Amino acid sequence: MDVILFGPPGAGKGTQAVAVCNTVGVPHVSTGDIFRRHLREGTELGLLAKSFMSKGELVPDETVVEIVGTRLSEPDAAGGVLFDGFPRTVNQAVLLDGWLRARGRKVDVVVNLVVPDEVVHARLSGRRSCLSCGASYHLLHLPPAVDGVCDRCGAAVVQRDDDSDDTVWRRLETYHSQTAPVLEWARSSCRVVDVDANQAISDVRLAVVAALSS
Ligand code: AMP
């Protein structure tokens, strides 16, 4: 099964991805996580991505498509994938569609997490992330047990550069201008289920899992 978890930054895609992967039994492919891993490893790709990410802009399609193509050729992706943060442009969506169809696959469902901009802004500016494993926390709603220390791996928990106030608004603008049109494309070519993601994480999870089985 190939699933796209769609929605603005801060909609909770990373959080819900765990439930989706457990339900469907497919690997989680997050382009943002791939870029952050490259950045931690100090690769050329990581530095290139950072120059766009820190401004709240999209990494160019040719770079994104190359890293996704590489990831999809790995054996664990042969039976389907959960895409998180990809596709983010109509061009990426069309290329993904062609890539899947050439292998007898298709996007089975797009789960669209719906959250108002103001809620996204409040979530992201309070978000803190683990530098090492990427686990996500929130200053008010989900702090780590020990301040500044990841519950999962013990590394430092900090604010991502791109979660700063100005950059969050820029990311939202980028979402509305370049990524939201992917939804129009999806509505005309695959099954899209809208999920209200402005509710408790456990309630969103129930709605997401229901969307997968309906
Ligand atoms: P995310 O963690 O998914 O919010 O991604 C963080 C940042 O990585 C985004 O704001 C973009 O700069 C970049 N990025 C992630 N995925 C993509 C993509 N599919 N296309 C272009 N840029 C991306």
Side-chain angles (χ1 to χ4, degrees):
M1 193 172 188
D2 286 287
V3 179
I4 295 176
L5 205 44
F6 195 83
K13 299 188 292 294
T15 306
Q16 297 301 334
V18 180
V20 178
C21 291
N22 290 341
T23 305
V24 186
V26 293
H28 176 203
V29 172
S30 155
T31 40
D33 284 351
I34 296 175
F35 290 135
R36 283 184 288 277
R37 197 189 67 233
H38 276 274
L39 191 55
R40 281 197 300 277
E41 291 169 358
T43 68
E44 210 173 302
L45 174 66
L47 291 174
L48 173 86
K50 184 183 169 81
S51 65
F52 295 94
M53 291 166 82
S54 59
K55 288 186 283 191
E57 292 172 8
L58 295 184
V59 176
D61 280 354
E62 43 301 359
T63 305
V64 178
V65 167
E66 194 184 319
I67 61 145
V68 173
T70 306
R71 180 63 187 88
L72 292 183
S73 335
E74 290 172 16
D76 67 333
V81 161
L82 168 70
F83 296 97
D84 161 4
F86 177 90
R88 256 180 161 102
T89 64
V90 173
N91 185 36
Q92 290 178 17
V94 171
L95 288 169
L96 172 66
D97 189 54
W99 193 95
L100 290 175
R101 281 178 196 278
R103 286 158 182 80
R105 289 160 60 176
K106 63 176 171 45
V107 176
D108 292 291
V109 59
V110 177
V111 180
N112 177 37
L113 301 182
V114 182
V115 195
D117 282 4
E118 306 72 47
V119 175
V120 163
H121 183 266
R123 282 186 186 176
L124 289 186
S125 39
R127 181 163 77 176
R128 296 296 178 268
S129 307
C130 173
L131 280 178
S132 177
C133 72
S136 205
Y137 299 91
H138 192 278
L139 283 182
L140 299 177
H141 311 302
L142 191 65
V146 178
D147 192 28
V149 180
C150 180
D151 294 348
R152 196 154 62 173
C153 74
V157 169
V158 298
Q159 185 176 44
R160 270 167 49 175
D161 283 353
D162 58 345
D163 283 344
S164 67
D165 195 56
D166 286 356
T167 313
V168 167
W169 287 121
R170 178 79 192 109
R171 287 167 72 193
L172 276 166
E173 271 170 39
T174 304
Y175 172 76
H176 288 296
S177 61
Q178 295 183 66
T179 304
V182 172
L183 208 49
E184 287 156 41
W185 169 86
R187 289 194 198 283
S188 65
S189 52
C190 19
R191 189 164 76 91
V192 178
V193 181
D194 295 320
V195 167
D196 175 8
N198 188 18
Q199 45 177 344
I201 292 175
S202 53
D203 292 333
V204 179
R205 186 170 57 234
L206 288 177
V208 168
V209 170
L212 296 173
S213 47
S214 61

